[in-house]
Amino acid sequence: MDSDDREAQHFSHEERDLWDHVTELWEIARRRETAPIRKLLHRDYSGWVTGLETPHDYEAAVASVGPETPRVLRYRLKPLKVSVFDHEVGVVHYSYEADVESAAGSAQHVGGRWTEVYKRRGNAWLMIAVSGGPDGMR
């Protein structure tokens, strides 16, 4: 819904393309669409969310955006560092703030940070790993 592009103005074309991909993934997740997510994750994907004991896999990542998860009402992303290595691997560090629907139907404000790792597949980016998560409820 909102991306703080002031930080992104110095991006190279490749870095901008990767950051745009990250923001599109957030939109897909906000709409809780699992089919596109399945196509944008590597089958050997792994991720580790702050506060959890173990990393999760591909199926858990798909489920994390599905219709059984809390709805994201609004969000704001702030790119902190976007790097592309040898036109093949991308690493994105960013912070986020979001209003998420709680079980009671009210909005809870969360903020946190993510690191996402991508591999180029043709002209697109395929997510291979993430780490991070919420700093806590506000």
Side-chain angles (χ1 to χ4, degrees):
M1 301 253 229
D2 188 15
S3 175
D4 189 346
D5 285 340
R6 290 172 292 171
E7 297 291 324
Q9 291 177 357
H10 67 281
F11 286 171
S12 71
H13 176 72
E14 250 182 343
E15 292 165 344
R16 181 76 219 181
D17 180 54
L18 180 54
W19 178 247
D20 289 346
H21 182 74
V22 169
T23 60
E24 179 59 25
L25 281 174
W26 269 80
E27 272 302 301
I28 292 168
R30 186 187 61 78
R31 294 188 305 260
R32 302 199 276 180
E33 297 175 356
T34 57
I37 294 295
R38 286 188 177 282
K39 294 175 184 174
L40 297 171
L41 294 176
H42 191 282
R43 289 297 300 173
D44 294 325
Y45 160 95
S46 69
W48 198 358
V49 177
T50 302
L52 298 182
E53 292 293 318
T54 59
H56 61 270
D57 64 8
Y58 174 90
E59 289 300 331
V62 172
S64 75
V65 301
E68 302 302 315
T69 61
R71 273 186 334 120
V72 174
L73 304 171
R74 281 175 285 295
Y75 64 86
R76 180 182 175 103
L77 310 178
K78 180 180 179 186
L80 301 173
K81 178 79 172 161
V82 177
S83 303
V84 177
F85 302 89
D86 300 325
H87 313 287
E88 295 177 18
V89 174
V91 177
V92 180
H93 304 284
Y94 64 95
S95 63
Y96 69 90
E97 292 184 17
D99 291 328
V100 179
E101 190 173 58
S102 71
S106 62
Q108 287 187 301
H109 189 76
V110 295
R113 49 202 126 177
W114 277 115
T115 294
E116 299 177 353
V117 182
Y118 293 87
K119 179 182 186 301
R120 189 180 294 279
R121 179 176 62 185
N123 291 329
W125 291 103
L126 192 64
M127 184 183 284
I128 59 176
V130 301
S131 182
D135 292 332
M137 301 295 207
R138 298 181 195 164

